[in-house]
Amino acid sequence: MVEPHSADPQELLRQQTTLARFGELALRSDDLDAILTEACRLAGEALGTDLAKVVELQPDGRTLKVRAGVGWGPGVVGTATIMAEDDTSEGYALKTGEPMISPNIATETRFRYAPFLIEAGAKAVANVIIIGAKDRPPFGILQVDSLKPREFTQGDAIFLRGYANLIAAAVARLRAIEEVRAEEARQRALLETQVAERTEALGRSNAQLDAFAYTISHDLRAPLRAMEGFARILLDDFAEPLGEKGERYAARIVTAAERMERLINDLLAYSRLQRHKAEPRIVDLGRTARRIAIETRAELGDAVEIALEPSMPLVLAEPGVRGQVITNLVANAAKFRHRGAIAHIRLHTEVRRDRVRLWVEDDGIGIAPEHQSRIFDVFERLHSQDAYPGTGIGLAIVKIGVECMAGTFGVESGLNEGSRFWIELPAAGNNGAWTEQAPS
Ligand code: ADP
């Protein structure tokens, strides 16, 4: 005859203390397997059984898999399964939600037990259900297995239920965290996909816009040339019938056509650069600066004086783009000089860690601080065509040209204080210290 387990007050106090400690673990830990294993260890220890386990109900609603356990040999925890049928104590516990106790498996007539349990030598079993969160199926069952037949008291069952409920609370908490994380991750994919799609669409429409601007600019050229050509014919061959007024009008057509031609050329250069993928290589800033200085002097003669640093560092840039950028800066430095004055222009460099800054400085009319950021945008001009002709595209070309070479740009200036434009490009190794001597 199996004796019921006595409810010794000291024993009860010990059981309550371990249950409270387990409660802390169940509420704090994020590791469900650690929580389940500790529950098995404490419950088995408190009830004096050799074996304990948690079996988890699988999504099919019938299979229970041993998720955690203590005292079991190899091949049980994580592997062994029990089918939750009506003639198993597990199935019954799941169905009724009530603790199920078999004091002696050998004489048990109501239920059959899983072979791995018999093989492990279990003689008595107590099962309590681990309930699921609201509207969810049960998580599984907490089981203690004794190697001797034994009577589990009602107190034992209540005690086991305490563990099972704490496990249920931990499972609900961890699943809620998991769901929040999964939802966050889902939102983040979603967001990344949307960003990628929109970037692609933007890229496509930008490319279309570029192609459009390019074609239009090209197509505008032919009628423009015709206008200019016929206006010149009028001036050359029909000056007399035209009269003074007619001649003036024809001359204005020629001037307007020339300006439009410049605008188209600048727009084409800008649009080409926008679609351009720079292929930087090691280039000599000094050589470019010298060539541009020679060209500017040839064009403007005594109106400019250009001072160049004798040698300049090598940079990583694309020769064509770099040339265009520096040409635009020097052309502006020459153009925006004081009326009737000579433009004094100075080009020099400064090595700043792994970058080289090229300064293009002039002593011209300067730029008020409030206008300095917008002049790098397309068509932003601060002067009338009569005062200083231009298209308003030169600095926009500087901006995208420098950016496509992984560089930066800027200006320091004040009204009537001259301007100091700069571009910064990656130095070509050795901190740009490797320089080529300029010809004397
Ligand atoms: P553009 O020279 O054809 O007018 P840019 O884009 O090159 O167009 O320059 C935009 C505006 O920035 C100019 O119209 C001028 O007002 C101002 N700017 C550019 N460079 C200088 C400079 N060196 N000194 C004074 N103003 C300048």
Side-chain angles (χ1 to χ4, degrees):
M1 175 79 189
V2 179
E3 283 299 307
H5 216 240
S6 65
D8 167 2
Q10 282 299 322
E11 182 64 9
L12 267 179
L13 186 66
R14 204 176 60 79
Q15 288 183 357
Q16 297 301 330
T17 311
T18 52
L19 188 64
R21 286 218 187 96
F22 172 69
E24 282 175 24
L25 174 80
L27 288 175
R28 288 222 183 101
S29 172
D30 279 352
D31 183 345
L32 184 58
D33 286 307
I35 293 172
L36 298 179
T37 308
E38 187 63 0
C40 293
R41 193 182 70 74
L42 292 174
E45 205 175 273
L47 294 185
T49 64
D50 309 276
L51 304 166
K53 62 186 177 303
V54 169
V55 289
E56 182 182 4
L57 188 63
Q58 301 301 296
D60 65 5
R62 293 177 61 228
T63 313
L64 289 157
K65 191 184 212 172
V66 182
R67 166 93 187 241
V70 291
W72 299 94
V76 175
V77 175
T79 312
T81 54
I82 300 166
M83 294 313 286
E85 312 287 5
D86 282 352
D87 61 348
T88 63
S89 70
E90 294 86 359
Y92 196 82
L94 279 179
K95 201 165 162 186
T96 60
E98 290 301 318
M100 273 315 309
I101 290 165
S102 288
N104 191 344
I105 288 176
T107 58
E108 179 61 75
T109 51
R110 296 166 300 169
F111 308 122
R112 60 185 170 85
Y113 280 90
F116 78 88
L117 208 116
I118 311 290
E119 278 161 27
K123 297 286 187 292
V125 175
N127 285 333
V128 289
I129 188 169
I130 303 167
I131 55 170
K134 193 170 173 288
D135 301 330
R136 291 274 182 90
F139 174 75
I141 294 172
L142 170 64
Q143 298 185 312
V144 288
D145 312 80
S146 170
L147 293 178
K148 294 192 295 271
R150 65 167 281 182
E151 207 52 67
F152 290 96
T153 64
Q154 205 182 352
D156 292 339
I158 291 169
F159 169 73
L160 270 183
R161 251 193 163 154
Y163 276 98
N165 287 342
L166 286 172
I167 291 173
V171 168
R173 181 173 63 82
L174 294 178
R175 290 216 164 136
I177 292 173
E178 246 171 48
E179 275 163 19
V180 168
R181 284 188 188 145
E183 180 56 21
E184 276 173 3
R186 204 182 64 80
Q187 291 290 346
R188 213 169 31 241
L190 207 66
L191 207 70
E192 279 165 11
T193 313
Q194 278 175 358
V195 169
E197 279 170 7
R198 287 193 187 156
T199 310
E200 203 194 310
L202 203 71
R204 263 200 316 272
S205 80
N206 274 349
Q208 279 166 2
L209 219 71
D210 277 355
F212 177 71
Y214 190 78
T215 316
I216 288 284
S217 306
H218 258 299
D219 293 351
L220 277 178
R221 266 186 165 157
L224 186 68
R225 291 232 166 101
M227 269 166 57
E228 190 188 345
F230 283 115
R232 281 191 197 283
I233 291 172
L234 284 177
L235 283 172
D236 291 347
D237 303 339
F238 298 89
E240 214 174 301
L242 271 183
E244 203 186 314
K245 216 173 183 181
E247 237 183 294
R248 237 189 4 258
Y249 289 160
R252 278 168 82 166
I253 293 176
V254 172
T255 315
E258 280 171 355
R259 180 169 139 60
M260 186 124 176
E261 169 97 35
R262 270 200 305 277
L263 196 66
I264 288 173
N265 288 342
D266 280 1
L267 268 177
L268 278 174
Y270 181 74
S271 146
R272 222 176 288 136
L273 207 55
Q274 262 191 329
R275 286 177 289 130
H276 182 71
K277 255 198 138 16
E279 287 170 10
R281 49 191 163 96
I282 298 176
V283 291
D284 178 6
L285 265 185
R287 189 170 298 165
T288 317
R290 283 192 297 278
R291 175 180 60 75
I292 292 167
I294 290 167
E295 286 168 6
T296 311
R297 280 191 207 109
E299 192 187 331
L300 298 173
D302 290 344
V304 288
E305 274 180 17
I306 304 180
L308 292 182
E309 202 171 50
S311 68
M312 289 186 182
L314 298 178
V315 292
L316 284 178
E318 189 174 289
V321 180
R322 172 204 53 176
Q324 202 168 9
V325 164
I326 303 175
T327 299
N328 289 4
L329 291 178
V330 173
N332 279 351
K335 178 165 63 175
F336 294 102
R337 60 185 186 270
H338 290 288
R339 207 166 279 275
I342 292 175
H344 296 93
I345 303 171
R346 182 169 165 246
L347 271 70
H348 65 105
T349 54
E350 192 189 325
V351 176
R352 299 163 73 97
R353 291 214 194 97
D354 55 349
R355 324 269 290 171
V356 174
R357 183 176 281 201
L358 170 73
W359 290 90
V360 178
E361 300 181 353
D362 64 59
D363 59 349
I365 59 172
I367 305 156
E370 64 269 26
H371 299 313
Q372 287 171 13
S373 58
R374 73 176 167 102
I375 54 173
F376 290 93
D377 293 334
V378 191
F379 300 134
E380 287 290 350
R381 311 195 68 244
L382 306 178
H383 308 281
S384 69
Q385 286 298 328
D386 291 341
Y388 292 97
T391 58
I393 300 174
L395 288 183
I397 287 178
V398 169
K399 179 179 168 178
I400 55 169
V402 168
E403 282 175 350
C404 86
M405 295 186 293
T408 47
F409 58 88
V411 61
E412 292 176 3
S413 185
L415 211 52
N416 291 319
E417 286 177 13
S419 304
R420 293 165 297 286
F421 281 86
W422 59 266
I423 59 167
E424 220 169 83
L425 294 170
N430 206 14
N431 270 355
W434 197 96
T435 56
E436 251 180 29
Q437 290 301 308
S440 52

